[in-house]
């Protein structure tokens, strides 16, 4: 019944090819002859980095923070959905607290939500997100999905992606970050302004 319902919404979905063929908005930069950054032009501050140039510890930090089962699920994590749903029902019924709702989105689902600019919070939207996540996982390798996610995710201070965030928060390249700084970046997707050390 669940999968019948899911595929029933397939005709209403945006094309996942939009995600597969995604071209990010990148920053344009002007440097002096000695390599000093003079000016940056952008609508979204983002510097794209291929997945094979991303330090392994940054990948580990984001996976630990956002999606521990990333390499084992088909785009959605059923156990996480059940766990989050149970906790949300408890929070709502017994604590009367709607503000403490927790999500169960995988990195693939978060990527889809970010690229489609869809912040609606409904069960129907979540079902559509799951369908697109399954389709995307069949089309792209896990490493490509992780690459898109780490370059697309908003991390506060106007920074999209881990390269721009590393520069904004620490004034460093990714390879210069220490473990604590990597961990802080990985904590930002949940609530960038809450975890900003200068706020």
């Amino acid at each position: 019944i669940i999968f019948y319902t899911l595929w029933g919404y397939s005709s209403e979905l945006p094309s996942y090819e939009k995600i597969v063929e995604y071209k990010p908005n990148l920053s344009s930069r002007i440097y002096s002859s000695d390599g000093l950054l003079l000016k940056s032009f952008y609508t979204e501050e983002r510097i794209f980095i291929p997945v094979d140039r991303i330090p392994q510890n940054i990948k580990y930090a984001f996976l630990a923070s956002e999606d521990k089962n990333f390499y084992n699920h088909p785009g959605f994590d059923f156990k996480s959905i059940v766990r989050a749903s149970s906790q949300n029902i408890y929070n709502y019924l017994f604590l009367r607290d709607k503000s403490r709702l927790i999500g169960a989105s995988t990195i693939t689902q978060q990527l889809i939500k970010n690229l489609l600019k869809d912040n609606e919070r409904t069960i129907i939207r979540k079902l559509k997100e799951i369908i697109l996540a399954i389709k995307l996982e069949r089309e792209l390798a896990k490493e490509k999905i992780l690459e898109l996610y780490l370059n697309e995710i908003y991390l506060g201070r106007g920074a999209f992606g881990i390269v721009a965030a590393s520069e904004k928060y620490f004034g460093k390249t990714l390879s210069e970050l220490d473990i604590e700084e990597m961990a802080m970046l990985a904590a930002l997707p949940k609530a960038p302004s809450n975890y900003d050390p200068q706020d």
Side-chain angles (χ1 to χ4, degrees), residues 106-120:
T106 62
I107 279 175
T108 312
Q109 289 173 267
Q110 291 178 55
L111 173 63
I112 287 166
K113 184 173 74 172
N114 290 337
L115 293 181
L116 297 179
K117 313 294 186 199
D118 186 357
N119 292 317
E120 184 185 359

Side-chain angles (χ1 to χ4, degrees), residues 96-147:
R96 301 286 183 208
D97 188 355
K98 294 180 186 177
S99 66
R100 294 181 62 185
L101 295 178
I102 58 173
S105 292
T106 62
I107 279 175
T108 312
Q109 289 173 267
Q110 291 178 55
L111 173 63
I112 287 166
K113 184 173 74 172
N114 290 337
L115 293 181
L116 297 179
K117 313 294 186 199
D118 186 357
N119 292 317
E120 184 185 359
R121 298 184 71 179
T122 66
I123 292 174
I124 300 302
R125 200 271 303 157
K126 183 63 82 173
L127 289 174
K128 291 177 179 179
E129 189 181 277
I130 289 171
I131 296 168
L132 283 174
I134 293 169
K135 289 183 175 183
L136 191 62
E137 292 254 357
R138 289 179 175 174
E139 186 71 23
L140 296 179
K142 289 280 190 180
E143 288 298 299
K144 184 63 179 177
I145 292 170
L146 187 59
E147 175 187 271

Side-chain angles (χ1 to χ4, degrees), residues 36-54:
L36 181 69
L37 177 63
L38 299 176
K39 185 73 176 167
S40 183
F41 302 93
Y42 54 86
T43 52
E44 295 178 350
E45 177 73 13
R46 179 186 291 105
I47 301 141
F48 193 90
I49 184 169
V51 72
D52 59 357
R53 290 183 47 215
I54 298 172

Side-chain angles (χ1 to χ4, degrees), residues 3 11 15 27 45 70 73 83-85 89-91 95 135 137 143 157 162 181 190:
F3 286 104
S11 61
S15 171
S27 305
E45 177 73 13
F70 177 68
H73 62 61
R83 184 172 55 251
S85 299
I89 291 168
Y90 176 83
N91 290 348
L95 303 179
K135 289 183 175 183
E137 292 254 357
E143 288 298 299
R157 296 194 190 178
I162 54 175
E181 290 165 338
K190 291 181 172 57

Side-chain angles (χ1 to χ4, degrees), residues 141-157:
K142 289 280 190 180
E143 288 298 299
K144 184 63 179 177
I145 292 170
L146 187 59
E147 175 187 271
L148 291 173
Y149 171 80
L150 291 174
N151 280 288
E152 177 63 27
I153 190 73
Y154 179 68
L155 296 170
R157 296 194 190 178

Side-chain angles (χ1 to χ4, degrees), residues 175-190:
S175 60
E176 294 171 328
L177 295 177
D178 60 35
I179 293 293
E180 291 79 12
E181 290 165 338
M182 292 178 187
M184 199 211 92
L185 288 183
L188 290 172
K190 291 181 172 57

